[in-house]
Every structure is written in structure tokens, then in C-alpha cells.
Amino acid sequence: MARSVYVTGIGRGDGRQVVELGVMELLTRQVDRVGVFRPLVHDGPDRLYDLLRSRYRLGQPAASVFGMGYEEAAALQAESGTDELISRLVDRYHAVADDYEAVLVLGTDFADTGLPAELALNARLANEFGASVIPVVAARDQSPEAVVAEVRNAHHAYASLGTDLIAMVANRVGDPEAADAVRALAERLPEPVFVLPEEPALAAPTVTQIKELMDAEVLLGDAAGLARDVRGLVFGGAHLPAFLPALTEGCMVITPGDRSDLIIGSLAAHSAGSPALAGVLLTLGEHPGEQTLALASRLAPGTPVLAVPDGSMPTADRLLGLEGKLTAATPRKAEIALGLFETHVDTGLLTERLSVVRGERVTPMMFEHELVERSRTARRHIVLPEGQEERVLRAAEVLLRRNICDLTLLGEPAVVRKRAAELGIGLELLGDDELPASGGGAVARIVDPLTSPLRERFAATYAELRAHKGVSYELAHDIVSDVSYFGTLMVQEGLADGMVSGAVHSTAATVRPAFEIIKTKPDADIVSSVFFMCLADRVLVYGDCAVVPDPDAEQLADIAIQSATTAASFGVEPRIAMLSYSTGTSGSGADVDKVRRATELVRERRPDLLTEGPIQYDAAVDPQVAATKLPTSRVAGRATVLVFPDLNTGNNTYKAVQRSAGAVAVGPVLQGLRKPVNDLSRGALVQDIVNTVAITAVQAQGEPAGS
């Protein structure tokens, strides 16, 4: 029977979507098939379910997610009684639970439902579903005494109704004294109570939300600009000198459309980086002239300029109180929400109390979750040379929010900060001499290789390392200003634990400094790479698909041993298949002989590893083919590490499997270096960068921090 978790509340405005998203994250780390059930639903789209479906790739039919509408439920309860309502919802719940290993149940929202005794209804449903319950209590703008009373009352209410309480959450706690009071209360309750603070970035609406609410016309702006958070409203009516000091970071300027001076002045301030605006909203149905709009677009490319027909006061009335929403269209807010949840909830304890037995299958999402969890166990420091690149900045925000690692971004600080602000990215980017805020979370610093005091030190180090190649100090001083060399030297000197680059730089530009400076491990002959190929039900390791063009037998054996070590370090039990166009003794020729010799070398050097070769791909991964071709092999049909005979074969195969089988390819992950440096594809997505940085952080955990 499916394990079921019921997230509910005691009233409106508790922001429990953060908790529902966090619990879904925990469930999907444990099992492959997680269902969602919302017993009662309002008409119209369900934003949270759309987010869950998009983020967690749910294949569940939408019709099975929802029990019935509130109006239908109220009418049924009035006509036939609560028992009949409960009976029908239980039947619909079990239609979902029968098909899934775990089910997340989304409780009623206490908003215009027309149902009496709604808390008791949630408790009854949870009991009938056999679900454990996590009540969420709203604590925004409440005194410590009021918050404690709400938590105590919620606990009593759900406990007295016989529910299986496994935890409670006080959400949106803005008062530190209230947080302390709730923690003191938690010591007297049998279940853990987690305290989530108010997070302004979640409460802030996006420019798109304002556009949709006001049915505004978009005069200027791109998709990234429309995704910015609006952290305040500034109304423009004064003359420009009096108006400019009122601008705040992330604000939206609201001004009549005929005030070209305020429009251009605001965007000029934004262009100067002081401060970065979310956008401009023009009222009264007035549009600036073409010249003004053309100047505005050049001053602040991508920054939204919207127009509405109403005046400033009616516009303000509609906007005040508008809050951000977690939706499929706001993936950045989902990352912020998960970061908040994971920072303030003991996820290990909650997972244990959820009592979900981990499945044997390893899905792509489960592998990604495991990477993030492992990277957080001993947080490392990773340098990102491409600090001004949009995808890198967006990945950096995710990495910091999820507390995956500390970061150094290379680039000119003013340019990096301005770029982050233009993208609406809420990063606290510290300078060399700035101290982080208290809290112990992951931090990011900006270092400019051109002006850093480290440049002289690195120049001396590099000149010494490359003296045999005739590199002078003066030449080294120029070379180490390159971000790839500077980042590599940070790793070499123990100022960072690893480096990830390649979003805009070539593979050669990323790995050449590592070859020159960090060099190979004593037990490695070459630097090679692997991809983690996350299929629907397992993870395979492919090597080498990115670095060594045509390895000889000795190099191929080295690649196999390195790949097996990498696989084991990431929880994949290594069973090595040395691939060829021939299986066993059925073929001959120089290419087959190379693989046969490499297989012998692996067995000689590492007799503890299960190794088979030469072997064809189908015999390596398909048990039925293996039973025919190599029936006695301990690897055939069960291989997890697949070693390709050359780069041409490996690169084409990983891309073919990625595209045709829908596999998630994580990598390339470099192996054989003394310290971890990893390369990105220049087409890497934000999630690819996050995964690669997490892998690098895990690799670095094998070495003492800062070594």
C-alpha cells in the first residue's frame, strides 16, 4: 500500500505550498512513482499541481489528481451528509494510491470553500486515507504569543481528532522572538516543529503577474525582464532630482506615461546599476513617443515597460497586497522555496518520519537529488570563471539557495552585480574583504583577476611551474589574468576546492590550465572523462566520451579503472564492459585486439573489479542477449560502466542514447586530475551547471577542504 502524506493547515494564508513542494522533493528522492491527490479543488487551473507536474515530470493523468470541486462537495454534503462525501473521496484517493509507491495529498485551502468544520474534514480524510499529517500554521505578522498559541491549538486539534502527526510547520515567521518561542514550545511536543522564516523573494510578485493582473500592454521588455521580482512600488510625480533618491532595488516605477523625464531618468539609473529596477508601469493610457521608447530600450535592454489605461491611484489599489505565486512559470521561485525548506527543516529527520522505503530503481531525478544531498554533507568551495554569464549566475543562485557549495565568481564586480540585478537574481555577492551575514549558509564572492592581489602570487607560481617552457614572470602575469588560469590556480593553491567552466569557453580553454598546473594523480596515466547516463530505471557510466581521441590499450585500461572508481564514488556499483564490435572470441583485428589487451590489463591491475571484454553494447546491457552470447559472464547483461574504444564511438553513442532514449546525460566529469576541474557543454542549461557543480563538490569531498 502506498505511503501517504497529508499536508494541511488551519486557515488561509499559511503559504503551505512551500511545505508541499518540500515534501514532494523528499518523496521523489526515495521512490520512483509518486502520485498527487487533491481531494477538493476550485474551478480553474491548479497552479501548484502544474508546478509539481512540470518539475517532477509526473505522468499521472490530470483527471485522477482531483477528487471533486468545492461546489459539488458542498452540495453533496448538504444533501447526503459528510459520510457520503468522505466515502466518494476515499474511493477516488485509492484509485491513485493503488498505482503509486507514495502519494502527496494536498489539503483544502480554507478559501471560500462553503464547507463547515473544514479542519475536522481534513483530519477525517487523512485518517480514512491512512495518511500521516503535517499541519502548517500561518505566522506572518503575528506576535510570539499568537504564533505559539496557533501552533499549540493546531497540534491539539489534529491530535485530538486521531491523526498520525509526524511534524508541524510554523510558516512565514517574521519575528525572531516568535521563532525562538515556537522552538521552545517544540521541546514540549512529541513531534518536531519546524520554523520557516518569511522570505521576501517568495512574497514578491513577478512583472508577469502584474502584467496579467492589470491586463497591461508590454511596450518594451524580454522574457527575462518579465520574470523579475517586484520588491516594491515607487510612484513618480515629483521632479527628477527629488524622484531619483526614492528608487529602491527591485522596485517597479509607476508614473504617468507622459512623464518622459521620469521614465528616462529611472532607466538611466538602472543602467548605471544604482539601483536595478524591476520595470516601469505607465498609467493614464499615455504612451511615450517613439524616440523616448527607442532611448529607453538602449539604456536598459530587456527591462519591461508596461502601460495601463487606469490612473496611478486605481493602479496602486489593485497592486497593493499582490503576492508572488509558486507556479510552473516561476521555476526560480521553486528553487527559492526548496532552499528555504531545506535550510530550516531537518530533512533527514523528516524523511525518517515519512517512513518511505527507498526503491531499488534509480531515476534521473533520484540521482540528481542524491548529488545535491551528498554535496551538502561537507560543503565545499567551487570557483566559476564565467561569473558574468547569465546561465552561470542563475545556477549560482540555485546553488546558494540550496546550500550546495560556497562559490567564487570571477569577473569585474560592478559588471557581475549589475548583470545579476538586471536578471532579477537575488544574490548576495561579497567582495574579497566583506564578511557574510550570520547564518552559516553558502556564500558567493566576486574576484576580478585583473585587480586581485592574488595575481602577483599566481604569476610567481605559474612562472615557476612553467619555467622549463621558458615562461617568465612578466608573461605569467599576463596569462594568469585569464579567468580559466586564475580559477585553476585558486584550486591548485587551496583557495577553492574545485572549478567548473565551459559555458562560454571551449573544452581546451578549460582543461589546458588543469593539465599544466594541477596535473594527473600519481595512479593515473591520463586525464579522461565519463558521463553519467540517467536512464528511466538506472544510471550507467560512459567513458571516455569527451577527452581522449584514440586511446591505446594501456590508456583504455586506465580509463576503465578511473571510470570504475568514479562510478563507485557516486554510488554506482562498477561492472565494467570493454566495448567492441565483437563479443568474446568471435572477432579479430587490430581494434578488437586493443580492447582484448586493455581488458587483460584491467584484470591484472585491478583483479577486484568485475570486467568483461571485448563485448558488444547489446550483450553488455541486455540480459537476454547476454544469456545467448556470454551465459557465464558476471558482467554481461548487467554492466554499469561502459568503456568505449575511442572518442568517436563514445561521443556519438552518448548523444544517440541521450536523444533517442530520453536519457539525462550528466557530465562530462573529468577524472585523473589531482584536484577536480570539470568542463561544461557550451549549450549547458542551468540545471546542467547545477549538477556539474554538485558533482565537482562531491569529488572535492574526497580531498581535505582547501588542500
Side-chain angles (χ1 to χ4, degrees):
M1 184 175 180
R3 182 73 164 105
S4 179
V5 185
Y6 198 116
V7 181
T8 183
I10 61 172
R12 298 182 63 175
D14 53 31
R16 86 182 73 141
Q17 294 85 359
V18 173
V19 180
E20 291 165 334
L21 183 64
V23 171
M24 186 69 170
E25 184 85 2
L26 296 184
L27 292 175
T28 55
R29 291 177 189 174
Q30 302 300 309
V31 296
D32 176 24
R33 293 179 55 76
V34 180
V36 177
F37 185 66
R38 190 186 289 281
L40 299 171
V41 64
H42 291 286
D43 291 338
D46 187 309
R47 288 187 296 266
L48 180 68
Y49 169 65
D50 288 343
L51 169 62
L52 296 177
R53 181 180 60 184
S54 170
R55 182 177 181 85
Y56 298 103
R57 307 163 198 152
L58 302 182
Q60 180 181 353
S64 71
V65 172
F66 308 112
M68 66 178 68
Y70 280 106
E71 289 187 8
E72 179 187 356
L76 179 62
Q77 188 176 33
E79 180 178 342
S80 303
T82 300
D83 286 350
E84 180 61 23
L85 172 63
I86 296 290
S87 176
R88 293 197 191 180
L89 292 176
V90 168
D91 287 344
R92 295 177 188 183
Y93 162 77
H94 281 295
V96 175
D98 289 346
D99 290 334
Y100 293 90
E101 298 166 90
V103 179
L104 172 63
V105 184
L106 311 174
T108 67
D109 59 13
F110 296 85
D112 303 321
T113 62
L115 295 170
E118 198 165 338
L119 187 151
L121 177 64
N122 279 290
R124 173 105 185 257
L125 286 172
N127 289 338
E128 297 293 348
F129 295 168
S132 297
V133 176
I134 303 177
V136 182
V137 175
R140 189 184 192 192
D141 299 328
Q142 292 199 52
S143 68
E145 296 78 13
V147 176
V148 167
E150 288 284 321
V151 173
R152 184 185 293 114
N153 291 341
H155 182 272
H156 174 75
Y158 280 102
S160 65
L161 291 168
T163 61
D164 174 29
L165 284 174
I166 58 170
M168 297 190 65
V169 178
N171 193 28
R172 307 189 73 177
V173 181
D175 185 344
E177 292 186 8
D180 291 339
V182 173
R183 294 187 186 101
L185 172 65
E187 295 178 0
R188 304 193 298 273
L189 295 178
E191 298 82 25
V193 181
F194 303 114
V195 178
L196 301 187
E198 178 74 358
E199 172 52 71
L202 285 177
T206 63
V207 177
T208 293
Q209 271 187 264
I210 290 178
K211 168 189 170 293
E212 293 173 349
L213 175 70
M214 304 300 298
D215 194 23
E217 179 184 357
V218 180
L219 304 182
L220 295 174
D222 57 20
L226 290 168
R228 294 177 188 171
D229 289 338
V230 179
R231 286 178 264 169
L233 305 175
V234 175
F235 293 86
H239 292 296
L240 188 61
F243 172 70
L244 288 178
L247 296 177
T248 58
E249 194 79 19
C251 72
M252 171 162 274
V253 172
I254 300 177
T255 186
D258 59 0
R259 290 297 303 271
S260 296
D261 59 331
L262 299 187
I263 298 168
I264 296 301
S266 300
L267 296 177
H270 170 89
S271 179
S274 178
L277 306 182
V280 178
L281 180 61
L282 307 179
T283 60
L284 298 176
E286 296 281 350
H287 289 192
E290 290 185 10
Q291 288 183 326
T292 300
L293 284 177
L295 178 57
S297 67
R298 290 196 296 272
L299 277 172
T303 297
V305 176
L306 314 180
V308 295
D310 294 334
S312 294
M313 288 307 296
T315 299
D317 286 341
R318 295 181 68 184
L319 291 181
L320 292 176
L322 178 65
E323 289 198 344
K325 307 263 184 216
L326 286 175
T327 71
T330 58
R332 178 173 162 266
K333 285 192 184 293
E335 294 293 349
I336 293 170
L338 284 172
L340 182 72
F341 183 85
E342 292 168 344
T343 299
H344 297 280
V345 171
D346 185 338
T347 54
L349 173 61
L350 185 55
T351 300
E352 181 182 328
R353 294 183 68 84
L354 289 173
S355 302
V356 180
V357 178
R358 187 178 180 91
E360 294 183 2
R361 286 161 51 97
V362 180
T363 66
M365 188 167 295
M366 291 169 74
F367 182 74
E368 291 174 1
H369 290 330
E370 184 68 20
L371 279 180
V372 171
E373 282 300 299
R374 289 189 60 186
S375 64
R376 281 200 293 250
T377 58
R379 200 170 71 224
R380 290 298 192 242
H381 178 182
I382 306 300
V383 58
L384 304 176
E386 300 155 325
Q388 296 170 198
E389 160 65 24
E390 175 181 344
R391 290 165 294 159
V392 171
L393 284 167
R394 294 195 183 282
E397 184 180 30
V398 175
L399 293 161
L400 295 182
R401 293 279 187 183
R402 304 290 297 275
N403 209 33
I404 291 172
C405 62
D406 295 318
L407 297 172
T408 291
L409 303 174
L410 299 186
E412 184 181 345
V415 175
V416 175
R417 288 192 174 100
K418 181 184 175 186
R419 185 62 176 142
E422 286 175 344
L423 295 169
I425 293 172
L427 284 176
E428 182 186 10
L429 298 172
L430 304 174
D432 275 343
D433 55 352
E434 292 181 280
L435 295 176
S438 60
V443 298
R445 296 186 181 278
I446 312 175
V447 174
D448 185 354
L450 288 173
T451 61
S452 171
L454 293 171
R455 184 175 178 183
E456 284 71 26
R457 170 181 164 183
F458 288 173
T461 299
Y462 184 73
E464 182 179 351
L465 286 170
R466 303 294 289 174
H468 65 289
K469 293 291 186 179
V471 175
S472 65
Y473 174 85
E474 290 73 22
L475 178 58
H477 195 262
D478 290 338
I479 290 174
V480 302
S481 66
D482 176 87
V483 291
S484 297
Y485 277 91
F486 193 94
T488 304
L489 281 157
M490 284 188 68
V491 177
Q492 173 66 15
E493 295 289 286
L495 301 176
D497 300 306
M499 185 180 89
V500 173
S501 188
V504 293
H505 290 88
S506 68
T507 295
T510 298
V511 303
R512 184 185 299 113
F515 292 164
E516 294 178 1
I517 297 165
I518 294 176
K519 302 180 180 178
T520 58
K521 294 178 178 179
D523 59 349
D525 295 330
I526 57 171
V527 174
S528 60
S529 73
V530 297
F531 278 90
F532 290 95
M533 300 299 294
C534 304
L535 304 175
D537 59 350
R538 54 185 161 164
V539 176
L540 300 178
V541 177
Y542 283 11
D544 175 6
C545 304
V547 178
V548 186
D550 188 17
D552 58 27
E554 287 74 15
Q555 291 173 325
L556 200 59
D558 194 64
I559 291 169
I561 293 170
Q562 289 184 37
S563 300
T565 301
T566 300
S569 68
F570 286 91
V572 178
E573 182 182 353
R575 293 187 290 272
I576 304 171
M578 306 294 289
L579 298 176
S580 173
Y581 61 78
S582 171
T583 294
T585 59
S586 64
S588 61
D591 291 337
V592 180
D593 292 341
K594 178 180 79 169
V595 174
R596 184 173 290 113
R597 174 59 182 154
T599 304
E600 293 170 355
L601 289 172
V602 174
R603 289 170 175 164
E604 290 172 9
R605 296 176 188 176
R606 290 289 304 276
D608 57 307
L609 293 173
L610 294 178
T611 308
E612 187 66 69
I615 185 171
Q616 292 161 290
Y617 190 99
D618 58 349
V621 299
D622 188 322
Q624 291 182 328
V625 176
T628 301
K629 293 189 174 183
L630 289 173
T632 62
S633 173
R634 298 170 64 189
V635 173
R638 303 171 62 238
T640 57
V641 177
L642 296 111
V643 180
F644 295 91
D646 53 60
L647 187 59
N648 182 52
T649 307
N651 192 271
N652 279 296
T653 302
Y654 107 75
K655 289 181 177 178
V657 173
Q658 181 185 34
R659 300 300 178 187
S660 61
V664 175
V666 180
V669 178
L670 298 185
Q671 53 192 14
L673 289 168
R674 291 175 183 267
K675 296 184 179 184
V677 170
N678 281 311
D679 180 39
L680 297 166
S681 162
R682 274 173 279 182
L685 303 176
V686 171
Q687 189 58 46
D688 298 330
I689 299 172
V690 171
N691 288 341
T692 303
V693 172
I695 281 179
T696 308
V698 173
Q699 286 180 305
Q701 288 173 358
E703 305 290 336
S707 63

